[in-house]
Amino acid sequence: MADPCIFCRIARGEVPAQMIASNKEIAAFRDLNPQAPVHILIIPKNHIGSLDDTGDSYLLGQMVSLAAAIARQEKISKTGYRTVINTGKDGGQSVDHLHLHLLGGRPMTWPPG
Ligand code: AMP
């Protein structure tokens, strides 16, 4: 039976995605349904359901650092950007594989919906 986790399948290259960066532990690819001119997802390659399922501060630090590096690469670091991790039902998480959203290229509003 195919792995039901779409982000695990993207990480393994079984499902196509617009890959931005990839190393042994982390992948970054463009969101299929972008909410801003730049909308990139940064994920651990190993399956972690959500932020509530990990205490791996090294991995989390790598994900945030990669987001900042990609923001510079995408030329949104000067104008600014937002990084978001939706967690669980109330957090609005729809894919149960930890992911960090990198959004930029337009002004963001606050508070989020
Ligand atoms: P969240 O609501 O925080 O769980 O975000 C999940 C994100 O994954 C949404 O922004 C979706 O548009 C995005 N997404 C779902 N499936 C894919 C896919 N196959 N490739 C790229 N992005 C996806």
Side-chain angles (χ1 to χ4, degrees):
M1 198 178 78
D3 190 328
C5 177
I6 187 75
F7 287 179
C8 282
R9 297 182 69 197
I10 288 173
R12 287 198 297 266
E14 295 169 8
V15 168
Q18 269 191 275
M19 204 57 76
I20 301 291
S22 177
N23 63 31
K24 198 162 161 280
E25 294 179 329
I26 300 170
F29 53 90
R30 293 196 193 277
D31 197 291
L32 200 58
N33 182 24
Q35 301 301 311
V38 175
H39 188 174
I40 291 165
L41 301 174
I42 293 123
I43 66 164
K45 287 191 170 174
N46 286 335
H47 186 82
I48 296 171
S50 81
L51 188 59
D52 192 45
D53 296 317
T54 184
D56 188 341
S57 53
Y58 178 78
L59 176 73
L60 293 168
Q62 292 294 304
M63 289 171 65
V64 174
S65 295
L66 182 60
I70 292 172
R72 288 190 286 273
Q73 187 180 300
E74 294 283 320
K75 306 209 181 313
I76 56 171
S77 59
K78 295 284 183 277
T79 45
Y81 54 88
R82 184 169 290 175
T83 48
V84 176
I85 299 177
N86 295 325
T87 303
K89 186 167 65 69
D90 281 1
Q93 184 176 4
S94 64
V95 175
D96 291 334
H97 181 128
L98 174 63
H99 50 284
L100 173 69
H101 294 259
L102 169 64
L103 296 138
R106 66 165 172 83
M108 303 285 154
T109 57
W110 193 264

